[in-house]
Amino acid sequence: MQHQVLVVEDSRAFRHYLDDQLKQAGFKAIFAENLSQAKKLLAEPQRYLCAVLDYCLPDGQDGEIIDLVLSHKIKSIVLTAQFNDTIREKVLAKGVLDYLLKDSAASVAYLVPLLLRLEANLEHKALVVDDSDMVRNHVSHLLEKQNLTVYKASDGNEALQIIDDNPDISLVITDNDMPEKDGITMTREIRRDHSRNKMAVLGLSGSDDSTMTAQFLKAGANDFLYKPFNQEEFNCRIHHILNMKDTSDKLYRMANQDALTGLWNRRYFFTHNCCQTENESLNIAMIDIDFFKKVNDTYGHDGGDAVLISISKIIDAHFPESIVARFGGEEFCIQHCGHFQSFLSTLELIRQRIESITIPYLEQQISITISIGATTGLESLEKLIKQADDNLYTAKENGRNQLVS
């Protein structure tokens, strides 16, 4: 979904510049030239990711646009050509996300990364841990303004329970001095199961202990701030931490996912085990698309890619809790834990499903079938893959479009 950004700016040249920048970043800019036009736009039922507001407009020269937009509960970033401490305090007190000077291209260039961060934050969850209701609510409010989904805890034990229930939390912001369990101890326990790249930790403390930063970082925190902190610095730290996490996640996907289908690749498959215990049998299936060379020869490689993508989606949808990988070419492998007969039943459903459908490509319909070899056991992953591959070979020798186990 393309997010909309409301831009209220009286300079035509600057509007053109922002329109170009926002389009390149994937946003749809909705423009108003003055306060009056903005009122008309805000009367319409539109949803905006954020608003970018010129502080001084022809019909509102003292920041009136800020109050108007905030009254519609739209997050706002303020642009201004002139800035001083009085205006700065006034703008921040209104509850805007940030302010940017229009005095240089470098300053304005900060706008697009900020908007991209707000967009990406819609997929992130944060946990605020502090025994002070006032501090906990204040920090939570700052994060919610940044589009983060926020959980709250009053001590380390409660926080660890929330993390167990919500392992997809991206960021933990924790005070140190708390009853039950302090922030440094909690950070050490988080690091037993969650790396810095998977779950970031920002430590906070009102202590005058000069070693607090080092203590938190050595315990596994990604960053640290003394309280009371500057709101702008807090926001910058949060953005930096989440930018680093998103970059790490992207690199991880590039290293472990197949670029075409989005499935895991061989590297990931051989370094992960879906079974919880060593005594649990592992189910393996090897899947091969029948006569795939003929598909490429007939419809071209783009047609072949369309088939690979469609088959991948079907397999992945039937095994959402398993490890499904593209091994290369037209070959897929599934690593599954559970009852073997149930595993075989699902594989047969996939075979029948693929046999019964046609895959649209341009103005044509492509029909294909698959052959499957499956096995189960307590042997090593490599031996089980060899067994499944032997069964796949048998399925092909017996005429294809069948499951052999």
Side-chain angles (χ1 to χ4, degrees), residues 347-396:
L347 290 172
E348 179 60 20
L349 285 175
I350 290 174
R351 188 198 65 77
Q352 294 176 13
R353 168 69 175 159
I354 291 172
E355 181 185 29
S356 68
I357 66 169
T358 58
I359 297 169
Y361 173 66
L362 299 178
E363 297 180 357
Q364 305 174 82
Q365 299 292 324
I366 305 175
S367 297
I368 49 96
T369 61
I370 60 171
S371 298
I372 309 173
T375 191
T376 188
L378 296 172
E379 293 92 335
S380 68
L381 178 61
E382 289 77 8
K383 288 184 178 180
L384 291 173
I385 289 175
K386 177 65 168 58
Q387 293 173 20
D389 200 40
D390 289 343
N391 289 339
L392 172 62
Y393 181 79
T394 301
K396 287 184 171 293

Side-chain angles (χ1 to χ4, degrees), residues 177-340:
D177 297 318
M178 298 180 293
E180 302 297 330
K181 185 166 290 180
D182 62 71
I184 292 175
T185 302
M186 183 194 71
T187 300
R188 290 195 186 99
E189 295 190 23
I190 288 174
R191 287 293 169 251
R192 293 175 187 171
D193 301 311
H194 306 278
S195 71
R196 281 182 170 88
N197 294 331
K198 289 297 179 183
M199 186 177 293
V201 175
L202 172 63
L204 301 175
S205 179
S207 169
D208 57 2
D209 185 347
S210 61
T211 69
M212 192 59 63
T213 301
Q215 289 185 59
F216 256 107
L217 295 178
K218 289 179 179 179
N222 297 65
D223 207 344
F224 175 81
L225 271 177
Y226 279 103
K227 296 189 295 185
F229 50 76
N230 176 280
Q231 176 183 325
E232 294 165 86
E233 181 181 4
F234 176 82
N235 289 338
C236 288
R237 298 288 184 100
I238 295 300
H239 294 170
H240 176 72
I241 289 172
L242 292 176
N243 285 339
M244 292 292 289
K245 185 186 185 309
D246 285 349
T247 299
S248 175
D249 289 346
K250 182 178 180 180
L251 291 173
Y252 183 83
R253 289 193 297 270
M254 289 173 63
N256 293 282
Q257 282 185 306
D258 177 61
L260 176 65
T261 65
L263 297 178
W264 298 116
N265 59 21
R266 291 175 64 98
R267 180 178 186 274
Y268 182 93
F269 194 88
F270 281 105
T271 55
H272 289 75
N273 190 323
C274 66
C275 294
Q276 300 297 316
T277 65
E278 294 182 357
N279 297 324
E280 188 175 2
S281 293
L282 181 63
N283 305 321
I284 296 293
M286 295 291 294
I287 300 174
D288 192 83
I289 300 174
D290 298 329
F291 302 112
F292 186 69
K293 183 179 184 301
K294 186 181 294 184
V295 173
N296 279 332
D297 290 343
T298 304
Y299 302 99
H301 288 287
D302 287 344
D305 287 350
V307 169
L308 289 169
I309 293 169
S310 295
I311 298 303
S312 298
K313 289 179 179 178
I314 292 172
I315 298 173
D316 200 39
H318 281 79
F319 287 102
E321 303 300 324
S322 305
I323 298 176
V324 181
R326 181 187 177 197
F327 259 35
E330 69 274 25
E331 198 168 53
F332 304 88
C333 195
I334 303 171
Q335 186 184 145
H336 174 270
C337 297
H339 296 295
F340 187 55

